[in-house]
Amino acid sequence: MSQDPRLQRAAELYHAATFNGDPEAVRAATGQLDSLEADLALARGRVLHAAFLRDRREDPRELVAFERAAELYAALGDDHALAEAEFWLGCFHQVVREDGDAAHPHLQRSATLARATDNRLTLSYAVRHLGFAAGMAGDHATARLLLEESVALRRELDFPAGVAAGLVALADLAYRDGRSDEAERLLDEATAVATECGAIGVLGWADNTREEHIRP
């Protein structure tokens, strides 16, 4: 197994500090390790979120992981990565805690940082969840614009599973607006895209959306 280069660099800097008397080595090594810790915290939080989606049981370690990642990225001045950590903090509050008020500032901050650093993948997630928030608040026009922006970004990034997920969200909104024909078209496209890329989970979301809105 290959070692992360940041660990190797931290080891070199330890040597420089201890044996060579480099006055800046400890600070530099700490930055390498903080960057690695932030990435690990973010990855752990995402895995814990996936477990929540499967089991629907909150794990308190999820919020701790995302908060730690955001703290470290902010201290490192890494706004590109901080955009992602802020998204996940917003997602945690919106999805796990169902607390839109707590989620909104994190999602807004994520979108702002993502735009500023050209982090288009994170932006696609942030505007998607801001779209959900707008829809829940009854502002379907804004929700549609945000969800469409998310899908457009994911098409540009060649992220078909994400495109399919976005189309399902747009279909659900179309059903709620009484645009049933458009909703069916969107779900047909979502199903085709998800099938082609093997996004089995998204196929289930599409089926559930149809079942929810089409009554016998």
Side-chain angles (χ1 to χ4, degrees):
M1 182 181 296
S2 62
Q3 186 180 73
D4 189 288
R6 289 168 293 185
L7 280 177
Q8 179 61 38
R9 181 59 181 150
E12 294 168 355
L13 287 163
Y14 156 78
H15 190 282
T18 303
F19 298 104
N20 300 342
D22 184 341
E24 297 298 319
V26 169
R27 179 192 60 78
T30 299
Q32 295 291 317
L33 295 174
D34 283 350
S35 173
L36 185 63
E37 182 185 348
D39 287 356
L40 177 60
L42 191 66
R44 188 178 302 281
R46 287 197 303 262
V47 170
L48 291 169
H49 189 75
F52 169 81
L53 294 177
R54 182 193 63 198
D55 303 330
R56 293 293 164 176
R57 288 197 301 271
E58 179 184 334
D59 187 324
R61 294 176 299 170
E62 182 182 342
L63 178 59
V64 172
F66 291 142
E67 287 178 334
R68 181 58 173 161
E71 176 189 7
L72 288 167
Y73 287 136
L76 290 164
D78 187 347
D79 285 350
H80 188 276
L82 180 58
E84 187 176 359
E86 286 288 349
F87 163 73
W88 282 108
L89 282 168
C91 183
F92 173 86
H93 287 293
Q94 186 185 61
V95 176
V96 179
R97 294 274 175 87
E98 298 183 350
D99 186 345
D101 290 340
H104 199 263
H106 291 293
L107 296 174
Q108 287 282 22
R109 194 173 303 123
S110 172
T112 298
L113 289 168
R115 291 188 196 280
T117 59
D118 195 31
N119 187 342
R120 292 182 294 158
L121 180 59
T122 294
L123 181 59
S124 80
Y125 279 95
V127 296
R128 170 180 169 84
H129 283 257
L130 286 168
F132 291 155
M136 287 186 285
D139 186 354
H140 287 196
T142 297
R144 185 177 183 179
L145 288 173
L146 290 167
L147 293 173
E148 287 175 342
E149 180 181 3
S150 178
V151 170
L153 285 164
R154 291 172 174 193
R155 290 192 197 277
E156 292 173 8
L157 294 166
D158 193 21
F159 178 22
V163 169
L167 292 169
V168 172
L170 281 167
D172 180 69
L173 187 65
Y175 274 127
R176 296 180 190 281
D177 283 341
R179 295 178 281 114
S180 298
D181 289 346
E182 181 180 348
E184 286 296 315
R185 178 184 60 77
L186 289 163
L187 284 180
D188 287 345
E189 184 183 357
T191 298
V193 173
T195 299
E196 184 175 353
C197 70
I200 304 302
V202 180
L203 288 175
W205 302 346
D207 290 342
N208 291 340
T209 300
R210 278 197 175 94
E211 292 173 4
E212 179 182 353
H213 292 287
I214 298 177
R215 302 291 188 264

